[in-house]
Amino acid sequence: MISLPVVLTAAALLFAIGVYGALSQTNAIMVIMGIELMLGAAMLNAVGFMRYAWPDAASGAFFVLVVMTLMAVEATVGFALVIAAFRNRRTAELDDLTELKG
Amino acid sequence: MTGALLWVTVALPAGAAAAARVAGRRTGWVALAGAGAAAVPAWALLVAAAGGGAASSTFTWLPAAGGVDVGLRLDPLAAVMSATVATVGVVVVLHAGGYFANDPRAPHALGGLLAFLAVMQGLVLADGYLTLLIFWELVGALSARLIAFNRDDRTAAAGAVRAFLTTRAADLGFYVAILALYAGAGTLAFGAQRPGGALGALVGIGLVLAAMGKSAQAPLQTWLAGAMAGPTPVSALLHSATMVAAGVYLLIRSDALLAGWPLEVAGWVGAITAVAGAAVALAQRDLKRVLAGSTTSQLGLMFVAAAAGAPAVALFHLVAHAAGKAGMFLATGIFQHERGSTELADLRGAGRDDRAAFAGFAIGALSIAAVPPFAAFWSKDAIVGAAEGHPAWVLLVLIAGAGSAAYLLRPALVLGGERRARGKGKVEGGTEASSVGAPGDRAAVVGLPGRGRMLVATAALAVGSVALGVVGAPLANLLDLPVPQVSLMSVALSLAAVAIGAGAVLVALRAPTALARAALRQLYASELLRAVVQRPALAAAALLDRVDARGVDAAVDGVARGTLRAARSQRWVEERGIDAGVDGLARLVGRGGAGTSRLQTGRLHEYLRDTVLGAAAVGAVVALTALT
Amino acid sequence: MSDLATALVFWPSAAIMLVTGLYVFRTSSMARAGLLLLASLGIEGLIFLSLASEFLGVLQLLMMSGEMVIMVFFMVMFMADPGGLMGMDMTHDKRRSAAVAAGVAAALGAVAVATDWPGAVVTGAAPDIEQIGFEVMGRSMLSFLFAGMTILFAMVGGILLAKHGGRLGIPAPAGEPRDEEGAGAIGSALAGGEAGVEPGVEGEPEHPSHGSHAP
Amino acid sequence: MPLLTLAVTIPIAAAVLAAALPARLERAPQRIALAASFLALACLLATWARFDPDRGMQLVEEATWIPSLDVAWRLGVDGMALALSAMSAVLFVASAIYGVGPRPLTRAAAALILLLEGATLAFFLAQDFFLFYVAFDVSLVAMYFLIALWGGEQRRYAALKFFLYTLIGSLPVLLGIIALFLASEPQTFDMIRLAEEEPFAGTGVGASLVFLAFLVGFAIKTPIVPFHTWLPAAHVEAPTTGSVLLAGVLLKLGTYGLVRVNLQMLPDAFAKYALPVALLGLLSVLYGALLALAQSDLKRLVAYTSVNHMGYVVIGVAAAAATGISSKARELAVDGAVLQMVAHGLVTGALFFVAGFIQTRARTRDLGRLGGLFGPMPVYGTATALAFFASLGLPGLAQFPAELQIFLGTFEVYPAIAALAAVGIVITAGLFLLALQRAFLGETPERWRGLPDLGTRELLALVPLLVLVVALGVYPRLVLDVISSGTWLLGGG
Amino acid sequence: MTVADMKEMEERMIADLPWLSPIGALALGAIVCVVLAIVLPRGRQGLVGAWAAGAHLAAAGLAAATWLDRGFRVTMEGIFVVDGLALVLTGLVGISGALCIALARPSLAGTDREGEFYAVLTAASLAAAVLGAAADAALLAIALGLSSIASFVMTGYLRGAPRSNEASLKYYVYGTVAGATMVYGLSWWFGLAGSTDLRVVGEALRDAPDAAVIASTVLVVAGLAYQASLVPFHFWAPDAYDGAPLPVAAYLSVLSKLAALVALARVLALALPDGTAGWPTAIALIAAATMTLGNLAALPQRNVVRLLAYSSIAQSGYLLMGVAALEGSDQGLPALVYYAIAYAATNLAAFAVVLAVARERRSVDLDAFRGLGRSHPWWTAVLVLSFLSLLGLPPLAGFVGKLEVFRAAIDADQAWLAVVAVVNTVISLYYYLRVIAPAVLDPLPPGPAPRALRGASLPIAIALLGAATVAIGVGAEPLLDLADSSTMLMRGG
């Protein structure tokens, strides 16, 4: 059946997929997607823990709420930034953002 | 009481110097009064010493490490020296009053002479080597100042510099000797035992070297000839009678300390110098330089005497020589005024023009040439006698004796010879006083301002040259030293030497040309010193300067690259100089900086990747530390 | 929910979640990627439900549907080739990224499996909605308020960054002397010495509203 | 009355006052500078009167500052501090009299000189490392501006070199101070306690590193060859007063630190490294002398002789470090080293004045171009000769007893080094005599015939220094009785 | 939980409200800012700034009042700690935030989103204050989130400038990845403890399996370390500082960073009591890496902002020494607190001058600083003081700060770290001098005189910050007392 390590492993894989996305994508939007997945993995962890270890730990549920909030607000700001970037450069390719370095 | 007298002896001439500086037109008489007054305590000291008195007045000068004292002391040797200095001083100051009668800078000169007397008194009365060194150096500095009295004269300036530098270089020995003595014996007092081993060697070598320098012993004699560019009274006082005798005084004073091989060395130096000085004197064309060579030679004889275990004889000869040689100088001063030159060629017949001065000159010359019964005859005979144990020294002394007869007869013949019509003497070189005019103008000679005073002074010393022959034994008694014995043998030998020397001149036996040229040029001692000391020092200085200007690191880079870079002028030096230190050190670090800065590629995904790897590394480290 | 039911929902859901998540980054179409992400995170909501966190699961579904719709809009608006018609590659450094991600997965997964997690091993329970309510309105009140602040300022910030033109839509009065010092100075400060570059607000591109379909 | 505090604060307050003056009061800055420097000197002389040579550190004035770090306003004197601070105060008075260049002091110049005075006095009097270091750096800044604002043609280059070298030199000092602080127990910046407790006793790695840090810092300041290359440039370009203060006062910061810190607080480590340090000192002596010999610029020449003379100090301190506790040689060497610092300050101050005077008259300091100066300027010539002879170590003048004591003390430890160092006095004799011959003797060329002799202000600045030089040479116990290194060298107070 | 429990809790929380007044002021200030920004006409947006600054100062004042009147307390059922550390941070945030507004105002005046900028800045300050006081994983996550978001927005404020945009976007991606990582780690902590309360977490982690503890800790640290720009989580910082408006860079380098460091200290101390999993060593290693890399990377920079960015990374390393010493020494926390205060003043001063120069000369290249001393002596003075303070020279703030962290490191048996820091200090001299030297030493380059700047807020801020840089060092005692009495409540559960 299902047990805590199974859930956690699924979350770890989801997190790793998110990491892969953040690392491999050239487009800012795609990277944001990766980050969303990473946050989703964190939520899955918390839910798993509540189910299999701490059924009374409402703070975990609140933690998940917070993560959802973060997902939303970070996406908001991220998109706003992408719009601004696009206005300036007509692209949201991160590989073009190499003026600042050294 | 006596202690205070010691200080007064030193202080009086110093005070007189100050008075003479401000005395204006009357400076000659003020100076004379000062010198005379200063002689009183000096003679009082001699009287006290003769009465068996001894005193010491010291105080702690350097308080560290239990204290190092300085001070003055009275003992027979000091008293004799002090009286000699004071007496010669009075006479020379008297003479100088005349010599500088028309010179607006007379106060300067007379003040200098009196100041010199003060420090010379300090030198002879010093108690302990530290005090001796202090006055020893001061004497040297004042000597330079007096030589360079005529400041428009380049030769005089050069002579002053050379005199000071040569003696100071030799004084290095004095310094080292003092250091070694203090380290070895723990004291700088007279009468300390020479420490053993290397320290003792340093003491011995050092003191002998210092004495050689001061007394112008070969090969350091050349400065004395250069010093002749100074005013003649200065030459009389400093460079014949007193200051140059300080080396001999040091040997006598350090008799015990230097016993053994150091004195042996000094003896050899003296004997050789005696001959060399004679040779040099024989070849000179300038009267003062003749006398300088003679002084070197005679001081060499004193070295021999001191080394041969007869300090009393050395002192005897010192006193006798002081009277004779100073007298000759003073007479020369008169001739110089009359002819405006001291070149022998210009002085031809000067003695005929001024017979009184010539008489003074002649008496001094006879004494120095060891003609009986003048003073130096007795002292020189005593030297020959004292050196009996060293046949080689005896031989050299005799040769020097013959030489002295020869080199003194030569100028005497010139002075007393026929006048030769000639224009006004060369004015360059030692012409600080106004010359009177053409040779043969006897009226002008008699009317020479100050001549009276100069003559009186010369005469006083002539009297000394006659009378001082008798002081040998009393001196020895006073110093509690063996009385010099004058043997028939030595008398005969020295007389023979004198005769040979005089005869050689009379038959105009000429020395081989090469030797004469060498003698004229101080036997190439200057060249030797220049090659061994001066040139290397200057070359090293210039080299280091070049190296330093390019920054110390340039030296490391090697000469080849250094010369290449020299082409690139000032700009390069600037940049290199400033940045070399900072940049050079930071280059390595800077490379690290560039490396870390290269991590910052500007590409975000690389940042993230590197971050994950870094975090993994941190995790690994934490895991390692946690598990161990 | 019983263990079996949980298992029945969890396994396929998890599989779909991971596969769709992975394919977000394997498609060449940004629109598709957005939809896949929506699917993945939506499915995650299902998993929440299966793990007895009904409230959170529902919330997740609602949030994701809203959010993902917006995201798709963005993609259409701004991305080169939103439909993936050109088949262009949107990745870089794929191999190393994959390796790193695999390493992360391996490390986290290994720790997750190997660790003897504490806490009661219970079945079928999770904090119920009342507990969550007490939590939110009680102990975590401050955090909750703070989350609200965060949302507010994310909105403010988002508008600040994204909105084009004059302040709050009110166009700048015509002819008003503009203080060029302000924007210009900052601009040059950022330009790091490239004086003359005046990236003032007015210098923005006029209508960046759609991507160019450049060949 | 807190005399030491006043001696430090009066100049600083006066500096602020001078800087704040309205520009139209043209003569006021000079008067303020004079008054303040005289007051500071008076404070130190009053301290001198109250000073008891038989006790070590004394008359300590202490006010809490940062008790948590045991940082306090601690001023105190022992023989070395008193002698050096008094000497500095004298030089500052002379500088205030002379001004910068031929003109009276401007506001900025007065403020900088007074700031420099406050900083250097604070440095010598400080018994707290915090204050010590701050003073060290402030003096650097003030001197930098003196050079940069009133220097010669290449003043920027010289000032930069000076600034970089000495700032870089001050960093190791700071690190050393931090190390001493951290190693002390309980941690303190109190120099008196650090000297007593010697947190880095022994010759371990830590002690060696701390020792080297201080050594490098002070070696640059002193300067010891091969860290000396900033010195000639700075001196040549600095204005007269800047040179006087740089050579007379600022160089002493290095050697003072060498004694105060390296010798007093790290004696074991110093004993271990005494020989290399002494060899560096010897190198400085000979190298400096030979370089000076090669110079034709009078200021450069004097600058290099400073390297030479400070080399003697280094040798003496190293010799003292090498000897065991309370040996005769140690006392002699340190007494000599401190006296040498005082004497060199006065003598070199006088020498740079002398060089400056001719610069303002003849617009050159090139010995090759000068000549026969005795003729038109007898007073100047005499003063110069006196200063030259003092600098070459003639007995009867200030540097002789100092150098002699250093030699006496060193010879017992390093006879060869002492003997070789004595060669330096011959070389310096040579270079000074040659300079005298070239610039002052011989016939006066036509272009120098009209040079005016020294004026009142110049004499007022110069003569006191020369008088002190003679007085110290004749009776060195004037200062030696106060220095009495035996009482403080081993800590305690 | 019963309704009665609920009631009781409610009363407790209401009683806690006075302790929340500082962050209340910030929250209220931020919200009112939004309203004002909407309401006020464009010409009056400056008033929003004034209001925001007032809110900051009110927060600082309330923090001081809380410290003095009410003492320390754990509030809000344990999730929000009002202790010395938190109050100092709040005070710092208040004062520095107000100063940042003063710095930003001249640049912002007349731009189109001025009011909103102040609102966002105030929100960032609120987040910073909460971050430093959070003792609950959820609050920590959301506080870091708001802090990050507000920072991104401020960085990207110049929407028209590609560099600002680039900086913001990079910062955003990097920051959100790091934040997500932290959240993931926090979720594990929750799993290990069954609560998001960090105190409970601390109890649980004591005995939890090592692998899970280590892995989750690394993940959590990543989030905070990124905002504190610690190696290897620093990559965003140079680019973001470089591209951001300079006042924002100043804000990020001081407030965001200090808040993150304080949060790091609190989280580690609470969640990993007694050095669980050996974190002090790991943190010490990170500190060493951070200061070394920061200093090395700063060496080749020609862009002064980037140079300052790397310098501030290096400073994070020094600050982190205080965190590393938390467990090993009682001095760790005071050192952190004092250094934070010193760093805030110093770094803001440096940025303020750079900002002024950038505005006047339109460049932040090293060359733009040439001859600054001629045209702007006071700016230059503050620049030099702040750089030397960053370097750590007495008597400036940075010196005492460095001393404190060195002390703490040695007391905590991390002497090696102090040695690394010393070596780093030496390295850093080079790049600080690279800016100072041309500013002080070079002449003004030829060219048209730059326009004089209008407005008083920037000069006043520069003067205040310069004075603070000196005063915090010279008058360190009260602040050291403050640091000593600042405590961390709930340590170790």
Side-chain angles (χ1 to χ4, degrees), chain E residues 219-308:
Chain E
L219 295 175
V220 171
V221 166
L224 295 170
Y226 119 80
Q227 190 69 311
S229 61
L230 303 177
V231 172
F233 309 101
H234 68 285
F235 288 99
W236 62 275
D239 292 359
Y241 290 10
D242 192 6
L246 268 172
V248 174
Y251 186 95
L252 297 182
S253 72
V254 174
L255 286 94
S256 306
K257 168 176 296 188
L258 291 180
L261 279 166
V262 166
L264 189 62
R266 186 181 301 286
V267 166
L268 289 172
L270 290 185
L272 299 159
D274 307 325
T276 307
W279 64 262
T281 310
I283 291 294
L285 283 169
I286 292 181
T290 303
M291 61 182 84
T292 307
L293 190 138
N295 279 322
L296 287 180
L299 293 178
Q301 301 303 328
R302 285 197 60 84
N303 177 330
V304 176
V305 175
R306 286 190 88 81
L307 187 149
L308 271 181

Side-chain angles (χ1 to χ4, degrees), chain A residues 2 8-9 16 20 23-27 30 33-34 36 40 44 51-53 55 57 62 65 79-80 83 86-87 95, chain C residues 11 24 30 44 51 59 67 74-75 78-79 90-92 94 105 117 120 122-124 126-127 143 158 162 164 205 208:
Chain A
I2 313 297
L8 296 183
T9 306
Y20 169 75
L23 290 187
S24 67
Q25 298 300 300
T26 60
N27 193 293
M30 298 300 291
M33 292 188 196
E36 298 284 308
L44 185 52
R51 170 68 175 71
Y52 291 105
F62 182 73
L65 281 178
F79 290 145
I83 291 174
F86 207 85
R87 283 223 179 93
D95 283 0
Chain C
W11 282 113
V24 169
M30 201 158 295
E44 192 187 4
L51 293 177
L59 202 61
E67 188 179 329
F74 266 90
M75 272 151 244
F78 293 118
M79 294 314 118
M90 296 188 295
T91 60
H92 51 201
K94 221 158 47 173
W117 296 95
V122 290
T123 52
S143 309
H164 175 55

Side-chain angles (χ1 to χ4, degrees), chain B residues 14 121 256 286 343 380 404 457 475 478 480 490 500:
Chain B
Q121 289 289 7
D286 182 296
E343 294 275 328
K380 213 180 273 182
S404 66
L475 267 181
L478 187 58
D480 198 15
S490 64
I500 292 168

Side-chain angles (χ1 to χ4, degrees), chain B residues 59-66 68 130 133-135 137-138 141 144 148 151-154 157-161 164-165 168-169 172 175-176 178-183 186 188 199 202 536-538 540-542 544-549 551-552 570 573-575 577-579 581-582, chain D residues 154 157 160-161 164-165 168 226 228-229 232 286-287 290-291 293-295 300 304 328-329 331-332 335 374-375 378 389 392-396 400-401 404-405 407-408 411-412 418-419 422-423 425-426 428-430 433-434 437 440-444 472-477 480-481:
Chain B
F59 63 94
T60 304
W61 200 56
L62 304 175
V68 179
L130 178 55
L133 174 65
I134 290 173
F135 287 111
E137 293 257 68
L138 285 176
R151 53 200 177 198
D152 287 342
D153 182 0
R154 278 172 188 280
V161 170
F164 186 77
L165 289 187
R168 189 143 218 252
L172 190 55
Y175 277 93
V176 172
I178 279 193
L179 300 183
L181 184 62
Y182 189 77
L188 294 176
L199 291 179
L202 286 176
L538 287 174
L544 286 179
D545 185 46
R546 244 172 287 139
V547 170
D548 196 70
V552 180
Q570 186 70 16
V573 175
E574 262 193 48
E575 289 169 356
I578 297 168
D579 287 347
V582 187
Chain D
Q154 296 200 355
Y157 163 69
L160 176 67
K161 208 165 173 179
L164 289 184
Y165 255 103
I168 289 167
H228 67 286
T229 54
L286 298 178
Y287 192 82
L290 282 172
L291 276 172
L293 185 57
Q295 304 307 319
R300 268 187 106 80
Y304 278 116
K328 260 167 54 178
E331 224 178 295
L332 269 173
D335 263 17
F374 254 121
F389 277 113
L392 62 82
L394 192 72
F400 172 77
L404 181 77
Q405 287 197 85
F407 292 150
L408 283 177
F411 193 88
E412 302 208 358
V423 174
I425 64 173
V426 178
T428 46
L433 263 287
L434 288 172
Q437 182 189 353
F440 289 88
L441 298 173
E443 237 172 309
T444 312
L472 282 186
V474 172
Y475 194 66
R477 282 177 63 183
L480 282 175
D481 277 345

Side-chain angles (χ1 to χ4, degrees), chain A residues 1-50:
Chain A
M1 291 296 148
I2 313 297
S3 65
L4 185 55
V6 173
V7 181
L8 296 183
T9 306
L13 288 172
L14 193 62
F15 185 78
I17 292 170
V19 169
Y20 169 75
L23 290 187
S24 67
Q25 298 300 300
T26 60
N27 193 293
I29 299 279
M30 298 300 291
V31 172
I32 293 173
M33 292 188 196
I35 294 162
E36 298 284 308
L37 287 179
M38 290 166 75
L39 287 169
M43 292 193 291
L44 185 52
N45 272 341
V47 169
F49 282 125
M50 282 189 287

Side-chain angles (χ1 to χ4, degrees), chain B residues 474-493:
Chain B
L475 267 181
N477 284 330
L478 187 58
L479 268 62
D480 198 15
L481 288 169
V483 178
Q485 296 299 319
V486 179
S487 69
L488 208 60
M489 176 73 173
S490 64
V491 170
L493 282 174

